[in-house]
Every structure is written in C-alpha cells, then in structure tokens.
Amino acid sequence: MAVDPVCKMDVDPQGAAATSEHGGATYYFCSRNCKERFDARPERYLKVEEEAPSARRPQEPAGSEYQSVMLQIEGMHCAACAGTIQKSLCKVKGVKEAVVNFASGQGRVEYAPSLAGYDDFVQAVRNAGYDVSGTGAAGESAAEEASVRQMREARWHMVLAWAVTGPATVLMLLEMLGLYKVPGYEWLMVVLALPVLAVAGYSTYRSALKSLRHGSANMDVLIMLGTGSAFLTGPLSLAGLSVFNYAGVGAMIMAFHLTGRFVEAKARGRASQAIRKLLELGAKTARVVRDGEEREIPVDEVLEGDVMIVRPGEKIPTDGEVIDGESAVDESMATGESIPVTKNAGDEVIGATINQQGALRVKATRVGKETFLAQVVRMVQEAQATRVPIQAFADRVTAYFVPAVVGLSVLTFLMWLLFHPFFDAIATRAAAVLPWVNPDVGAFSLAAFAAIAVMVIACPCALGLATPTALMVGSGMGAQNGILIRSGEAIQAMKDVHMIVFDKTGTLTRGQPEVTDVVAAAGTQEDEVLRWAASLESVSEHPLAMAVVQAAQERGIDPSHPEKFEAVTGKGVRGRLNGRDILVGTRKLMGEGGVDYSALAARFAELEERGRTTTLVAVEGKVIGAIGIADTLKDDSVQAVQELKEMGLEVAMITGDNERTAAAIAGQVGIDRVLANVLPDQKVAEIRRLQQEVGLVAMVGDGINDAPALTQADVGIAIGTGTDIAIESSDITLVRGELSAVVSAVKLSRATFRKIKQNLYWAFGYNLVAIPLAMLGLLHPVIAEAAMAFSSISVVSNSSLLQRVRIAPSYLQVGNSAAAPRVP
C-alpha cells in the first residue's frame, strides 16, 4: 500500500490511476489530477515511499499531536445507534474524542496519529454493527448514493406495508366498532400481518438483531419486541388460549414505523442540505490558457498558477488573483453581501463567486481542498459533528433509553397481572371515552396491550435529533451569511456572553490611515501644504506617509521627488526639495529644527482631542500647516455597537493606542469602556481579568497579535479579512469585514440555541407524558407508534423553521421589519 503525496489517501500500487518518477523514487496517485499537481510543483510535497498496509493513515498530517478525521457512516437508524458507534470509537487506543451525528450520518474522531488511524476506526464501526463509506469528498459521494438508495427502499417498504395493512385496518375498525365481523377474522389478521412484518419489516428486524448481537439496543429493538409480541397473540389465540388477537395491530405498528422512518429521512435531508448547497455553488468547469491555447477543463483539473478566462455571467472557477480586466463580482455566496464588488488587476477573487460585467483573466492561487469554498465546507462539517454541552444529558438518557423502556414494558405487564382489579377499574372508566379500550378481553390481553404500547411509544430518536438537526441548520445558515462556526460549544457560549471586546485597528476601524484634516497657516493654501508634505513623504514606506501621498493624489496633486531625504525614527522626516529644507513630523521634530509652531498650537491640540495623529509641515524653518491623519471607523461600526447594546451586551474596546486617541475613537463609536495602552502580550491578561469580572467574554479581532486573546476568550471571533492565524485561533470567523456580521452571529447563536431547547423540551416532554399514559393502558399501540414517529418528525421540522429567522441587524433589514421574526 502506498500514499498519494498530494491528497494523502491510501493507493494500491496495482490499481493506481497514475505514477510519477522523481528523485529516483516512484510515486502513486489516486487520480490524474493529483499527478498533474505533483508534476507541476513536486518540491511542495514530501517524499512518500511505498509502505505496508495501514502503516500510514488517510488524513494523518505529520507534526501535530492530535489530528481529526470525518467518517461517513452507514446503517444508523436512531440516536441509540449513534451512541453505540461513539462508544466503540472511544474504546480505540489513541482516540481523544469521538462524536457521531445521527442526523448527518457523520462521525468526527480526534486521535493521536502515532497510536490509531483510519483502519482502526473502520474496524471499530464495523464491530458495532455498522459500516463506513469513506472520508472526504469520496465518502460524501458514497454516503449520498447510500442515502438515495435507503430512501427508495424506505418508500417501497412503506408502500408495501400499507398496501396490506390498509385492508387489515378497515377490518379491525369494523370489528372494534361492532359493525361487521369477517368470517375467519382471526386467521385473516395473522395472514395479512405476516408479509408486513417478514418482508416490509425485514430491515427493521435485521437492524435490531444486529444491534443485540453487538451488545447494544437501538430503536429497532423496541419495534421488534412490540410488533413481535403483538403478532404472537394471533397464533396464541388460534391455539385456543384466552388471548385477544393483536396480530393486525402488529402490522399497523410496523406500517406506521416505516412511514415515520421515510418521512423522518426526508425531513433530515432538508435539515442537512446546507453542505450540499455549498458544494453546488462551485463551478463545474474552467476555461484556462495552456500552451497559448484556451481550453475548457473540469474544475478539479485546474492547477495552481493556471490563467483562467472568466466571461460575464460565469462563475469564477477557483480562488485567484485578477491579472487583467475590470468587473463587478457578486460575492454574496461568500459574504452574504448583495452589492457587487469592483475587481481590478491585483485584486483577489473567491472561487464560485459570479463575474457580472467585464471579462477577467484570473491566475489560480488556491485549488482543490485549499479553496475558500472547500474550507467553508470543512468548517461547516466540523461544526455539525461537534457536541453542544446541553446535549450531554440527552446523550446519557439515550444511552440507557432502550433497556429502560424494555424494563418498563415488562414492569407494566407484571403490574397489570398482579394488580389487575386496580388497572381493570381504570380500563372500565376509560372505555366510556376511548373506543380502543376493551376491559372484557381479559387480564392477560390488557397487560399485553399496555406493555406493547409502552415499547412502541417510547422514542429516543427525538432526543438524539434535538441538537444535531438545529446545529446543522444553524451552521448552514451561518455559512450562507458569511458566519463560519467552528463548534457547537461556541453557539452555546455565544448566547451566554455578557461582554464583547473589540480590537480597534482593523476591527472597529478600517486599518488603513486616511488624511481627515488639512490645516493651512495664514497666507498658505491647503493644497500647498499637501504638495510639500506628499513630495517629501513619497519616498517613505510608513503607513502615515502613504496616507498623505494618497490624499494628495486624490486632489490631483502630483508629488515631486525630493533631492534629499532622511527618516527620523518616531518623529517624522526631513529633506530638501527645490532647494528648500522641509520638515514633516511631530512637535518634537519641529522643536529640534528650531521651528515655531505656536500659531497652530490650538488647532493642533483640537485635532489630537478628536483622535487624530497630527503632523506639522515646515518649509525653510517656517510652519505652513498641519495634517490630521486617522484610522477611520468602518461604515457600520456605530450602528453595530448600538444594536449590541440594545441586545443587552456590554461592549468594550482594547487597543495599544494612547488613552486620548482611544477615548476619541470609542466616543465616536459609542463604547464606554476602553482598555488603552495594552501591548499585544498584555491582551490575554486583560481578557482574563474581564472574565473574572463580568463572566463570559467574546473578543473580536483580526491581527496576529489578537490570536492569543481570541483563544483566551470564551468565544473568539475573527474578522475574515484578517490574518490566517487569527482565523485559526477563533471559534467563529466572519467572512465580511463589517461589524454587522457580529450582530448576525449573536442573533444566529441565540436563535439556534432557542431551537435546541425547544427540541429538547418537546422530546423530553413527549416521553414523560406518553409513557405513563401507555403504562395505564390508555393509548392504543397503533396510536402510540404514530405519535412516536410524529415526535421525531416534529423535532426535525422545528429545526428547519430556523431558516425563517432573520439574523440581519435591524438597521440592514428592508421592508416590514415589524413582520420579521426577532431574536431576543
């Protein structure tokens, strides 16, 4: 067995799609595309020699203590199945954590590569009685095919069950109401029930027996026991025993069970469509220039460095950089922002976004799994595969649910036999209002009736679906709105956050200094001040110097080249232009040069009070003006901060700026609490101090120096336009740079968690009410099974309603905002 050096997947040398010779070694590839990537830049990939089977695992990068892998799991029928698989995976040596999501059919395993690997996980899943279809894109494709196949089988089983059960139901109703009794009714019920249980219910029985064989019990075990017990009453009654014939009831229970499974599968499919929608966004083909010719190829074959031709109306195939052309690009799929973004040469573009106007030539910079869309899909998958803390209790209940229900069913049967007079009195009173209660059938029949009802009405599925379905819908909504959530824990923590701390530069502000004020001394024009300053600053690479040059160019001023130039660290610049000595910088620089700037002292102080970095300009020892420079606020900073306050959150700002500048910025944006003069290595301590003071704290940042603080915060929120390390350190990534996304993230977390609580309340409440009623014999087993199926469907449907919640900030919502759902 060998390993493809590009995608790191196991490859059988005899069945390899392609091979390549490099440096005296032979490499094996799973696809032609991987070979082309390797041949284009072999230095990017480590040498991977042929290894023994299972010596190297898929998804096993070197250099990290723990890695994770996503498994596509087949054969799960309920939450108890997921719990069984999860336990089996956790027993594998080297596994740190395993989470199995019944709703999505996925399992996420975090493990130590030196101790465990993919083959071990597959074996663990199979030992539990289930199977793995693969990992990554190949696994998703296989899982999708399996899902379609299972959906067709479920539909066929449901149709077959009702085709036979329908006539049996009519006959049972006529018998129950005393309207008509078919000759040979007892035999007919057994004959009609047999194909429903043996053929349509075969997969249910097989799943139940497999579960029992592997030492666990899933929902199918309850159905098998319930329908089997009901059916056996038929042959027993025919044998002359004093038992009421419930064989037809067993068929109806199975028919309702199969109907519920089919409808539930369809509902789960709607809830899990987020990833499929994301994958469908990508372009299928790309038009590239190779060997001077333009050719159309599948997007999977695009190599890094390829030049792509993108015409108006087409999707940009992969992430890249514009090298020629100008156009407006619709980036709503990535950012949620509907306004197109103008792109020129040198600008970056995102794969799957739509080119709206002019033709573009784009050089591919990231392809395959490295693209933005692929990373979004991966983050959504990881978020869906995590466990929300509130689910822990439900998981513990689910683990013991089926054995407990079987125990309750046996207890119910015994209690009806031992205390028959008491329960018979209840049945007699109930018979007056419930037509299916018949106290005349005998103690044994009534005990069996109640015990069967207990087994089929108890439902662990609703408990198991409560959290993952809401999390799937919420994370999908987030991805479609430019909010990438890493984990379920972040959703629960976000709704409990008391304070949001914003970094200043690049978060509240644009991160690009701009000239905001130009003050000219008496007898001098503003443009003249800018001309002298920009000419001297034109050879400097300082951000403030670049802001001055840009301001001059925007006014149509063409800077001259200085004859002499010297940068004075921390003070400014000096030089000579057109035979004149020029100074541009601080008051200290002016003082050292003997320049009297008292005439502008008042204006200078005023600009500093407003948070401006102020630069004085002097020519031949005489001050001619001052320039105010500031990192301006983002357009929606004020509105976002205001809405966060209205939502009951405390807002603070942290910055390394001096107190005067920090207070000025905070005053403009409406923040009362300011942490100024905080060096990068002090931010963690400040966040820790705030956590001790106010409780849960979220931090929003974008720079490398924010990464430790983002990790320390209870919820780290990275601005997606920031650095990769800040994004990797965060729990939530906002693709857009605007702070409106912070408001949306808070609303989304609250709405998602509210759905989770609603689902759990419904699931627990249903079982707490339904099981006692069934134990008292007040629920017909058929009605009990129908209610059980409905409980799961209702939980999934309730999660799907999350898509109707409007998470945009109120100041961005258009139309009748009063009619829009609001998240408290």
Side-chain angles (χ1 to χ4, degrees):
M1 189 69 68
V3 176
D4 188 317
V6 177
C7 67
K8 308 301 183 192
M9 296 298 290
D10 283 345
V11 180
D12 184 349
Q14 295 182 347
T19 61
S20 180
E21 299 289 337
H22 184 76
T26 301
Y27 298 88
Y28 301 89
F29 301 88
C30 64
S31 68
R32 296 281 178 183
N33 188 34
C34 284
K35 179 182 182 299
E36 288 184 13
R37 293 186 193 176
F38 181 85
D39 290 342
R41 295 185 63 184
E43 68 277 3
R44 292 182 59 198
Y45 305 104
L46 297 174
K47 177 181 177 182
V48 181
E49 298 179 347
E50 189 171 334
E51 300 175 330
S54 305
R56 186 180 176 94
R57 316 294 186 177
Q59 308 265 343
E60 190 183 309
S64 179
E65 183 180 358
Y66 287 102
Q67 303 296 332
S68 64
V69 63
M70 296 290 296
L71 306 175
Q72 299 288 341
I73 300 173
E74 294 184 8
M76 289 191 290
H77 292 104
C78 71
C81 298
T84 300
I85 298 170
Q86 192 166 294
K87 284 182 180 178
S88 183
L89 287 169
C90 287
K91 291 178 182 177
V92 176
K93 184 179 180 181
V95 171
K96 180 182 179 183
E97 182 185 34
V99 180
V100 179
N101 188 331
F102 165 52
S104 65
Q106 293 180 325
R108 179 178 179 273
V109 184
E110 190 173 354
Y111 66 101
S114 60
L115 299 175
Y118 178 75
D119 292 346
D120 301 316
F121 309 145
V122 171
Q123 190 58 49
V125 173
R126 288 175 178 167
N127 288 343
Y130 305 87
D131 204 358
V132 176
S133 60
T135 65
E140 289 166 13
S141 177
E144 186 71 21
E145 292 176 5
S147 176
V148 172
R149 183 176 66 254
Q150 291 169 3
M151 186 81 72
R152 289 174 180 167
E153 290 178 358
R155 183 187 291 111
W156 183 82
H157 290 154
M158 178 187 68
V159 171
L160 173 62
W162 281 113
V164 180
T165 304
T169 303
V170 173
L171 295 178
M172 280 192 292
L173 287 173
L174 294 175
E175 167 74 10
M176 183 189 301
L177 299 175
L179 299 177
Y180 178 71
K181 183 170 183 177
V182 179
Y185 173 82
E186 305 293 336
W187 280 100
L188 189 59
M189 288 297 101
V190 175
V191 171
L192 290 176
L194 196 59
V196 176
L197 302 182
V199 181
Y202 172 73
S203 61
T204 300
Y205 286 161
R206 183 181 58 184
S207 170
L209 293 173
K210 185 189 296 184
S211 176
L212 291 173
R213 188 166 62 249
H214 288 89
S216 61
N218 61 11
M219 184 64 202
D220 290 335
V221 172
L222 295 180
I223 299 300
M224 179 183 73
L225 293 175
T227 55
S229 301
F231 177 77
L232 286 175
T233 60
L236 290 176
S237 67
L238 292 174
L241 297 178
S242 180
V243 178
F244 190 80
N245 189 340
Y246 289 122
V249 171
M252 290 182 66
I253 291 172
M254 181 61 74
F256 272 108
H257 169 67
L258 296 175
T259 302
R261 176 168 290 178
F262 171 69
V263 177
E264 178 189 308
K266 290 189 68 176
R268 280 167 48 203
R270 289 195 298 271
S272 62
Q273 63 187 351
I275 291 179
R276 288 197 295 273
K277 282 185 175 180
L278 289 171
L279 292 172
E280 290 169 1
L281 291 174
K284 302 300 183 289
T285 61
R287 196 177 291 103
V288 301
V289 178
R290 289 184 179 172
D291 302 324
E293 295 183 1
E294 186 178 313
R295 63 177 73 171
E296 188 169 336
I297 62 174
V299 71
D300 291 339
E301 297 181 9
V302 175
L303 302 176
E304 186 177 325
D306 276 342
V307 175
M308 305 175 290
I309 308 297
V310 187
R311 298 193 173 103
E314 294 181 343
K315 289 182 178 179
I316 296 172
T318 188
D319 298 359
E321 178 184 340
V322 177
I323 58 175
D324 186 37
E326 179 180 354
S327 181
V329 176
D330 178 4
E331 295 187 337
S332 58
M333 60 76 57
T335 66
E337 178 58 56
S338 59
I339 300 175
V341 181
T342 302
K343 298 292 182 179
N344 297 289
D347 291 337
E348 293 184 354
V349 290
I350 301 172
T353 56
I354 301 173
N355 178 29
Q356 290 195 330
Q357 296 177 351
L360 295 174
R361 291 171 67 87
V362 179
K363 182 176 73 174
T365 56
R366 289 187 292 186
V367 297
K369 296 180 180 179
E370 299 176 354
T371 64
F372 171 83
L373 183 60
Q375 292 177 32
V376 170
V377 170
R378 186 177 68 251
M379 288 186 72
V380 172
Q381 287 178 326
E382 290 178 353
Q384 292 180 352
T386 58
R387 184 187 291 115
V388 179
I390 195 176
Q391 179 70 7
F393 178 65
D395 287 345
R396 288 195 296 270
V397 172
T398 301
Y400 300 101
F401 195 91
V402 174
V405 169
V406 172
L408 285 175
S409 180
V410 173
L411 178 64
T412 299
F413 184 79
L414 294 176
M415 288 177 62
W416 272 83
L417 292 180
L418 295 173
F419 304 102
H420 178 66
F422 172 77
F423 287 102
D424 186 61
I426 295 177
T428 302
R429 292 189 182 93
V433 292
L434 301 177
W436 56 81
V437 178
N438 184 0
D440 299 328
V441 297
F444 185 89
S445 296
L446 286 173
F449 182 93
I452 293 170
V454 169
M455 271 192 285
V456 299
I457 197 167
C459 181
C461 294
L463 289 172
L465 290 168
T467 295
T469 52
L471 194 59
M472 288 165 67
V473 176
S475 58
M477 281 180 64
Q480 293 166 3
N481 286 275
I483 304 167
L484 307 182
I485 302 168
R486 256 182 207 286
S487 66
E489 289 90 338
I491 287 182
Q492 181 163 341
M494 192 67 194
K495 65 97 182 175
D496 291 324
V497 160
H498 294 98
M499 173 183 284
I500 296 184
V501 180
F502 288 95
D503 175 53
K504 181 181 78 70
T505 305
T507 303
L508 287 170
T509 65
R510 298 180 184 278
Q512 298 176 341
E514 297 179 8
V515 171
T516 56
D517 304 270
V518 179
V519 178
T524 308
Q525 299 296 319
E526 290 184 4
D527 285 358
E528 185 179 352
V529 175
L530 267 181
R531 181 178 290 107
W532 287 107
S535 296
L536 192 60
E537 297 277 29
S538 62
V539 294
S540 173
E541 295 181 353
H542 194 281
L544 298 182
M546 295 172 66
V548 172
V549 173
Q550 182 178 351
Q553 292 173 341
E554 289 174 354
R555 294 196 184 195
I557 300 171
D558 188 15
S560 302
H561 191 75
E563 300 154 14
K564 278 180 153 186
F565 174 83
E566 179 189 357
V568 184
T569 305
K571 299 175 184 178
V573 295
R574 63 163 60 98
R576 192 168 181 82
L577 181 65
N578 297 333
R580 299 185 180 185
D581 291 328
I582 313 296
L583 290 176
V584 179
T586 64
R587 288 176 289 186
K588 186 174 290 189
L589 181 65
M590 296 296 145
E592 292 177 358
V595 177
D596 180 13
Y597 56 86
S598 58
L600 295 178
R603 293 298 307 276
F604 192 97
E606 178 190 341
L607 291 175
E608 285 194 332
E609 287 292 338
R610 289 164 53 197
R612 307 294 192 253
T613 298
T614 307
T615 299
L616 292 165
V617 182
V619 179
E620 287 293 304
K622 180 182 178 181
V623 68
I624 64 169
I627 299 174
I629 304 172
D631 184 3
T632 57
L633 292 173
K634 292 179 179 177
D635 292 337
D636 64 344
S637 293
V638 176
Q639 297 98 317
V641 169
Q642 179 60 34
E643 185 150 355
L644 289 172
K645 286 183 174 181
E646 292 174 356
M647 295 167 69
L649 294 167
E650 187 176 351
V651 182
M653 184 184 80
I654 189 168
T655 178
D657 284 345
N658 62 68
E659 293 182 1
R660 177 182 290 181
T661 301
I665 294 295
Q668 293 176 40
V669 80
I671 294 177
D672 300 322
R673 185 158 188 169
V674 181
L675 306 174
N677 294 313
V678 180
L679 298 178
D681 58 348
Q682 297 173 342
K683 288 186 176 181
V684 170
E686 289 295 329
I687 294 297
R688 191 178 294 120
R689 184 176 62 80
L690 289 174
Q691 288 171 324
Q692 294 173 351
E693 180 182 339
V694 302
L696 296 186
V697 172
M699 174 167 176
V700 187
D702 75 320
I704 291 177
N705 59 0
D706 294 328
L710 290 173
T711 303
Q712 173 62 38
D714 297 287
V715 181
I717 305 174
I719 299 293
T721 51
T723 62
D724 289 342
I725 190 170
I727 294 172
E728 288 298 320
S729 303
S730 66
D731 302 298
I732 299 175
T733 299
L734 309 177
V735 178
R736 302 197 307 271
E738 289 81 5
L739 297 191
S740 58
V742 178
V743 178
S744 297
V746 175
K747 288 189 172 185
L748 178 62
S749 71
R750 293 183 176 183
T752 302
F753 195 77
R754 186 175 63 187
K755 284 297 177 187
I756 290 174
K757 289 198 295 184
Q758 289 174 357
N759 288 346
L760 288 174
Y761 288 152
W762 174 263
F764 276 113
Y766 163 82
N767 284 288
L768 289 173
V769 172
I771 292 177
L773 290 177
M775 293 180 71
L776 292 172
L778 303 180
L779 286 179
H780 193 286
V782 173
I783 297 175
E785 174 57 27
M788 185 277 290
F790 175 75
S791 68
S792 295
I793 296 168
S794 63
V795 164
V796 179
S797 301
N798 186 50
S799 296
S800 298
L801 292 176
L802 180 60
Q803 295 174 334
R804 298 187 180 183
V805 177
R806 296 178 65 176
I807 62 174
S810 57
Y811 58 88
L812 292 181
Q813 293 183 7
V814 181
N816 182 12
S817 60
R822 294 297 303 272
V823 182

